[in-house]
Amino acid sequence: AADRYLIFTARTRRDLAKFLNHRKRYRKRKQFTFNPEFWCHIWDWVSHRKLKPSTGLAGIVLALRTCDHPINLYGFSHNNTNFHYFNKLAEKVTTQDVYRYHPLLEEAEIYKELEAESLANLVS
């Protein structure tokens, strides 16, 4: 099945240029990029920590606003060896390294709260 939407996270001018080029190339596809104000909203979800929220959290917030509930969350089980669904970390990487880039602990709590409120299903 074809994707319904393509959503880009253009955080820099270079990213925005890539988005615009892709949009021109594939005009028939529905393509969007996050508005910077939306990113401000996502920061609210993690209480304005210094770490930037993950793209995954942004996608979940978007799904909560546009999809029927509960939404199904695949690949959002964070732990100290696998913080991206698509790769594994080397053994020498510490738990502190894993949580250096995104507020994954806070995000994991948010996902549990969404499940408790029947807004999302965590699927492992």
Side-chain angles (χ1 to χ4, degrees), residues 68-83:
D68 292 334
H69 299 154
I71 59 172
N72 294 317
L73 305 179
Y74 296 89
F76 285 90
S77 301
H78 301 296
N79 60 54
N80 65 353
T81 60
N82 186 4
F83 73 107

Side-chain angles (χ1 to χ4, degrees), residues 17-116:
K18 285 181 185 179
F19 166 67
L20 294 173
N21 286 333
H22 194 276
R23 192 169 173 154
K24 287 177 189 174
R25 189 172 179 190
Y26 301 99
R27 292 182 184 272
K28 292 184 180 185
R29 286 187 164 175
K30 292 183 180 182
Q31 301 174 62
F32 305 95
T33 187
F34 289 116
N35 180 315
E37 288 182 20
F38 182 76
W39 278 110
C40 292
H41 176 65
I42 303 304
W43 278 91
D44 288 340
W45 280 65
V46 292
S47 302
H48 294 278
R49 284 211 30 209
K50 291 180 181 178
L51 301 174
K52 66 181 178 182
S54 69
T55 305
L57 178 61
I60 289 168
V61 173
L62 181 63
L64 288 169
R65 294 180 59 115
T66 59
C67 300
D68 292 334
H69 299 154
I71 59 172
N72 294 317
L73 305 179
Y74 296 89
F76 285 90
S77 301
H78 301 296
N79 60 54
N80 65 353
T81 60
N82 186 4
F83 73 107
H84 283 128
Y85 67 89
F86 56 84
N87 63 6
K88 299 280 186 209
L89 297 173
E91 287 184 31
K92 65 181 179 179
V93 175
T94 67
T95 301
Q96 183 180 8
D97 292 331
V98 171
Y99 299 107
R100 181 184 310 171
Y101 303 104
H102 300 299
L104 300 179
L105 295 174
E106 288 86 345
E107 290 185 16
E109 290 301 315
I110 290 169
Y111 307 150
K112 290 176 190 173
E113 290 175 24
L114 292 172
E115 188 170 51

Side-chain angles (χ1 to χ4, degrees), residues 6 9 14 16 23 36 40 58 66 81 87 114 117 121-122:
L6 294 173
T9 57
R14 184 176 173 199
L16 185 57
R23 192 169 173 154
C40 292
T66 59
T81 60
N87 63 6
L114 292 172
E117 296 294 326
N121 294 317
L122 284 167

